[in-house]
Amino acid sequence: MSHSPTMARLETDLRMAGRAKGTIQQYLASIRRFQEMVGKSADRTSQEEIRRWVEHLQGQPIGPERLRCHYSALAFLFRKTLGEPEKVAFISMPRKDAPLPVVLTKGEVDRVLKSFTVAKYSVFFALIYAAGLRISEACALETQDIDALRGVIHVRHAKGGGQRLVMLSPTLLEMLRSYWKYERPKPPLLFSTRKGRPLCPDTARRALLCASAASGIGKVVTPHMLRHSFATALLEDRIDLRVIQVLLGHKSIKSTTIYTQVSASQIAAVRSPLEGLAP
């Protein structure tokens, strides 16, 4: 089903529309999951089946940006590729300024990382938290991207087709070395399946959900929540917002300033001018 004429046309249309490689992959993956749920090719689905998929998505522990991605994939498919805009006319996009997911404390992150039953996923999500990566970026990493000499990680498959450098902490480096000696992933990948294929983001997400439940922290943890926690921790350590922007790979500082909304401890630490008045 993943190689159906509809999927081929969708991919062609996305390329013609000038969509980024990462966006195309996300849209195709989303439509494949939709087709798997309904058990048929998207071009033969009814609006009722699309509604069921949307309701399913709304019940999942995913943030507004990822939900927008799923909705946008449906909208592009039915409006552009299939020419049936009426089937998705009921969809309303989540607001871009929707509240951020709950941020984890360092202690909560530690409990989650220690709750994985498969060590590979513990190291994988430690990497995402340690460097603030998107899950797609972490899945695409190769061993050559780990520059131990300079203490950086080269992110070559960033969102929008860009590249950037992020820090490689000594603790993470030791974790990666131990993991590599034990796991021996299929070259050139840093993380691979037993069959030598790139790690599946959805499989990794399920492992994270299981670990968050087993940790007992009472929060449903998503990969992007770890990225949010990374950014907030840096902000609370008084790292310059511009530096955080570069580390996260944000093209605009506006995308980064949203993290100032969740750093309550930094706001509380600011000394009020009232304190300087004479008693």
Side-chain angles (χ1 to χ4, degrees):
M1 192 180 296
S2 61
H3 294 91
S4 67
T6 297
M7 294 298 291
R9 284 172 55 198
L10 173 60
E11 184 171 4
T12 298
D13 291 346
L14 286 166
R15 293 186 190 282
M16 289 177 61
R19 299 301 171 91
K21 182 179 179 181
T23 301
I24 293 174
Q25 292 174 344
Q26 288 178 339
Y27 280 23
L28 292 175
S30 177
I31 299 304
R32 287 192 191 100
R33 288 182 60 192
F34 166 57
Q35 292 185 142
E36 288 170 3
M37 191 197 80
V38 298
K40 63 178 73 171
S41 179
D43 61 308
R44 295 189 288 113
T45 56
S46 65
Q47 187 184 78
E48 187 57 36
E49 289 169 321
I50 300 171
R51 284 183 179 276
R52 287 210 313 269
W53 170 242
V54 169
E55 290 170 0
H56 167 76
L57 290 173
Q58 291 175 342
Q60 300 302 301
I62 56 179
E65 283 303 316
R66 184 161 173 76
L67 201 57
R68 286 178 66 87
C69 179
H70 283 298
Y71 288 179
S72 296
L74 287 172
F76 191 98
L77 172 67
F78 284 96
R79 291 172 183 168
K80 305 288 187 179
T81 300
L82 298 179
E84 298 178 306
E86 68 282 354
K87 285 188 176 181
V88 291
F90 70 94
I91 294 178
S92 297
M93 290 290 177
R95 290 176 53 180
K96 285 188 175 182
D97 59 347
L100 284 173
V102 177
V103 173
L104 303 178
T105 65
K106 293 178 181 178
E108 289 172 332
V109 172
D110 185 57
R111 287 172 62 180
V112 171
L113 294 179
K114 289 177 178 175
S115 298
F116 284 95
T117 56
V118 179
K120 172 175 64 178
Y121 290 114
S122 178
V123 177
F124 178 76
F125 284 108
L127 166 67
I128 285 179
Y129 175 69
L133 300 186
R134 300 177 178 91
I135 190 170
S136 59
E137 295 169 344
C139 286
L141 283 178
E142 299 181 357
T143 53
Q144 65 171 340
D145 298 328
I146 307 300
D147 190 338
L149 189 62
R150 292 197 296 163
V152 296
I153 301 172
H154 196 164
V155 183
R156 303 175 191 274
H157 300 278
K159 185 177 181 180
Q163 299 185 25
R164 72 181 186 279
L165 294 177
V166 296
M167 69 280 215
L168 171 62
S169 76
T171 300
L172 178 62
L173 178 59
E174 287 304 310
M175 292 177 69
L176 289 172
R177 281 175 170 164
S178 299
Y179 149 77
W180 189 86
K181 289 177 183 177
Y182 175 78
E183 189 76 20
R184 295 286 178 169
K186 181 74 173 179
L189 297 170
L190 183 59
F191 295 95
S192 67
T193 65
R194 294 189 181 277
K195 294 183 179 180
R197 296 172 182 169
L199 205 61
C200 174
D202 287 336
T203 302
R205 286 190 185 93
R206 286 193 291 270
L208 179 58
L209 286 176
C210 291
S212 65
S215 71
I217 65 172
K219 297 176 182 178
V220 178
V221 184
T222 65
H224 223 64
M225 192 183 295
L226 293 175
R227 182 169 151 90
H228 287 312
S229 302
F230 161 84
T232 303
L234 293 187
L235 189 66
E236 292 179 344
D237 284 342
R238 302 189 182 281
I239 302 299
D240 186 83
L241 202 62
R242 167 61 183 162
V243 175
I244 299 175
Q245 176 194 354
V246 172
L247 290 172
L248 291 173
H250 287 162
K251 292 184 178 179
S252 170
I253 194 69
K254 291 182 180 179
S255 300
T256 316
T257 53
I258 194 170
Y259 293 105
T260 60
Q261 299 177 20
V262 297
S263 185
S265 64
Q266 189 177 38
I267 293 172
V270 176
R271 187 172 184 268
S272 169
L274 180 66
E275 301 302 317
L277 301 182

